[in-house]
Amino acid sequence: MLGDLAEQFTRATRNAATQTDAVRRAKRRYWRELVHAPRTWLIPRPPDPHGSHHANAQDNAMTPLLADLRFAFRTMSRRIGTTSVMVLTLALGIGASTAIFSAVYPILVKTLPYPDADQLTAIWERESDMSKSNIGFATFDDIARSNRSFQSVAAMSSWSATMTTDREPVQFTGQLVTPAFFTVLGVTPAIGRNFVAADNARDGPRVIILSHAVWRDVFQGDRAILEKPITLDGTAFRVIGVMPASFESVLSPSAQVWSPLRYNLTLPWACRTCRHLRAIARRRADVTAAQARAEIDLLAANIFRDHPTDYSGTGMLAPALAQDLTDDVRPALMAVLGAVLLVLLVASLNVSNLLIARGFSRRGEFAIRLALGAGRQRIVRQLLTESLLLSVIGGVLGLAIAAAGVRILLALSPPALPRLSAIGINGSVLLFAFLVTAVIGCIFGLLPAWKASRADVQRELREGSRSVARSARVVRSGIVVSEVALALVLLVGSGLLLRSMRQLLAVSPGFEPAGLLTLQVQAGAGRINNDTIVRQFYTNALDAVRRDPGVSSAAYTSQFPLSGDFDGYGVHIESRPNPNPSNDPSGFRYAVSDQYFETMRIPLVRGRSFTERDVAGQPAVAIVNVAFVKKHFGGANPIGERVRVGAHDSGPWREIVGVVGDVRQVSLEATESDAIYLPEAQWESPDYAMTVVVRAKRSAIALAPNVRAAIWSFDKNQPISRVATAEHLIDGTAAERRFVLVLFEAFAGVALALAAAGIYGVLLGSVTERTREFGIRAAFGATRGNLMRMVLRQGLGMTAAGLVLGGMLAAITSRAISGMLFGVSGVDPATYASVMFGLLLVAVVACLVPAVRAAGVDPAEALRHD
């Protein structure tokens, strides 16, 4: 057999003009492979005449595959350094993309975790600017009674309840819902029963349904809890059900308990203008989404026509619930997904570049195989096997990286990100990782395999490795240009987001956050069960806080800026009556104590601040902000004007006694909104949830235990939550932008490193392949500087081409993040210039080592080199 193989080898090389050193080295490599490698990869094994047909078929099918795998392992192990780089590069790309997909899939792709989730619909009122807003109970009642498109409709409101214990009080976050709430979602309690219409009666017994986590952790999974009352906010509730452990509350992810809303049309807060409810519905199976929206439009037109003074909007909205939940986060997630796919593409290009380089270095080997009769398909299959094997190893390691990445994602995710509990490694994510691995293995292994299979046997045996540089340079340089371009796209996106973040955080919130501590107190538990006692509790608690030696000043407010609080009321101006009061302005209503503006350091522009004399029984007063004055008084002095807050036909007229600076309530990027401040003691009823604001003399957060103790010194049963500095709350308003920024920065850093590695690898390979050329140039008088400039020119030429291509791509793709930019254009020249300059510096550093190596070539050694 060996003699036959030697004869075949001789025939394959007899036409060579001379037996070059390359041919002799190819012979030696061939005979080494022949001794150690399976013979099946060179010459097909003849069928065994004594074996069965089935055995022969199985052997013929499996033996080449096993031989390919064994040879691939052997080849990779001999080049362990290059193999490790490729595996780690692929693992990083696959792991990052899999981790991001684990978040994108449940939020944007997977259906909601309810039966027939496509039938679930959200219902909103539509404002004149086409934005959505909550609805009032009377509006909800009209829709629930009159519609024919929905089989059930429900409304809900946020709720916080406190259970007193022997130790600290336990505060539950929950929802007040109409009886059809769980019916709309299509779920039922795992233990007990659902709500029924009788539970919604105002004078009926109070009932509650618990989440599985509360039942397990707080009540130790006691099934007898269904027969025992629990006391919440001083009222006895009977537990009628426990939700399944698998139940996911997408409408309020933090909800722990649910109780009936208990509204009827006689209640003052159930009016049409009291828009504080969210509504959802389940569409009938025989009704399309378009038909349901058409009916909602018709109902809205009829309701608005019948009650013209109660509506200022233009209609109603009925989007699919899944779409409604993700509208706000969809742009950010799509931008992040695009960024990680670019990283995956850069990683794949880098690996493809390495595979091409390795393929060209093995062209002599491939030529010998082809000369001995191996088919081109056989060469392609071998290289694809090696590529797939690399991808599989990288994919397995990538899954480990993805698991760690998911934990990081959950830690970085903004609180508003829906369906956080559904993010994780599951079957769909594993399938995605498998598909990505297979696609990378096939596509980016195909080009090296195709190039290798097209080798010219005679030319390769004559020229050996001298032909490598000329053949590979264009392909490998093109890949590096692509890597630089994609890295620039990510770096520009990261730079734009970073500049936007700086611009945003530079916006003044309208008060001085440094040294300010906030705590939310939820009164109503224990013996605090009526308005008089609630107000007395807050007065006593505030006095106790002010006596602390570390407190400079303290006050309380019904809502705190940039904390997520949202409490708006209509404002009616006595001197500017409106024929349609529903078109009167609305603004944020703050019920505050004295010293509030001094503690917050909100500037007083005109008039006076509130004092201890502004209490019930005294003339009702109000303070408005600058935006309100500009909009409704044209900037004229409003002191002495009177306004009514709430319903246009009830409540006292309040004299404006002061004007204060504007405060950002919703977010730093939102424009200034109308605001009206009232003395808390002059509001019709106390707000049971109030935020205590404390100006500390030194460290704000270090003062928190003292402030908490001072409040509990009057009544330890009142829960205290949302303890935070004002600076922390401001940072939280940019949570979504920071989430995207951190991910973009990470991906851009990886892409930059891979692009630099690509430049370095191509130039180093080029220097190695052109050693003989450099030696000849040096022998004919080329200086070290000349040789260095040659290499630098090649590297910077690739970089420049990548910068031009990347700049054009970045200008296009930056539109994807335009909605997350603040005060910065998507084509900001300063960002583009700084990013390009930084990338150019990295490229110069990557070029230096190959350039120095080229300059150090010894002509005598080079001329002995192939």
Side-chain angles (χ1 to χ4, degrees), residues 45-176:
R45 178 180 298 175
D48 183 3
H50 303 290
S52 67
H53 176 77
H54 174 73
N56 287 337
Q58 186 178 28
D59 183 69
N60 289 338
M62 294 301 297
T63 301
L65 176 60
L66 294 176
D68 287 347
L69 288 173
R70 285 196 298 267
F71 186 69
F73 271 116
R74 187 180 298 112
T75 303
M76 291 165 56
S77 63
R78 284 201 301 266
R79 299 173 177 85
I80 191 65
T82 304
T83 300
S84 298
V85 170
M86 289 191 288
V87 167
L88 289 175
T89 301
L90 284 175
L92 191 60
I94 294 173
S97 58
T98 302
I100 296 300
F101 178 79
S102 70
V104 172
Y105 178 72
I107 297 175
L108 300 184
V109 180
K110 190 177 180 182
T111 58
L112 296 178
Y114 307 119
D116 300 319
D118 60 311
Q119 297 175 5
L120 295 176
T121 305
I123 300 176
W124 303 91
E125 284 192 31
R126 184 175 61 209
E127 298 291 352
S128 55
D129 60 358
M130 305 305 289
S131 63
K132 61 186 182 183
S133 77
N134 293 338
I135 68 175
F137 180 77
T139 307
F140 161 78
D141 186 68
D142 285 344
I143 294 173
R145 287 186 298 100
S146 304
N147 88 88
R148 298 181 182 276
S149 298
F150 303 106
Q151 55 183 324
S152 51
V153 184
M156 72 213 77
S157 177
S158 58
W159 179 44
S160 181
T162 303
M163 183 177 70
T164 55
T165 65
D166 296 336
R167 285 170 283 187
E168 291 186 4
V170 178
Q171 187 173 23
F172 296 129
T173 301
Q175 292 177 291
L176 296 176

Side-chain angles (χ1 to χ4, degrees), residues 18-29 368 460-466 772 863-866:
T18 59
Q19 291 291 308
T20 63
D21 290 341
V23 173
R24 286 192 290 273
R25 284 197 300 273
K27 286 181 179 180
R28 289 195 294 272
R29 287 199 302 269
I368 293 173
E460 295 302 326
L461 291 175
R462 284 197 308 269
E463 300 180 9
S465 62
R466 283 198 298 271
R772 188 170 183 273
L863 292 175
R864 285 195 297 269
H865 187 75
D866 176 49

Side-chain angles (χ1 to χ4, degrees), residues 558-577:
S558 58
Q559 58 178 337
F560 189 81
L562 303 175
S563 64
D565 294 339
F566 188 96
D567 186 19
Y569 278 76
V571 181
H572 313 280
I573 305 173
E574 185 180 35
S575 62
R576 290 165 173 75

Side-chain angles (χ1 to χ4, degrees), residues 90-109 332-334 336-341 343-344 394-413 417-420 422-426 428-434 436-437 739 743 746-747:
L90 284 175
L92 191 60
I94 294 173
S97 58
T98 302
I100 296 300
F101 178 79
S102 70
V104 172
Y105 178 72
I107 297 175
L108 300 184
V109 180
L333 286 179
M334 293 306 294
V336 170
L337 180 61
V340 76
L341 290 180
V343 169
L344 180 62
V396 172
L397 184 58
L399 282 177
I401 295 176
V406 167
R407 290 193 290 271
I408 296 173
L409 273 178
L410 292 175
L412 294 175
S413 297
L417 196 66
R419 306 205 63 190
L420 278 176
I423 297 176
I425 304 297
N426 51 40
S428 300
V429 174
L430 291 175
L431 178 62
F432 171 83
F434 170 78
V436 168
T437 300
F739 171 70
L743 293 179
F747 299 153

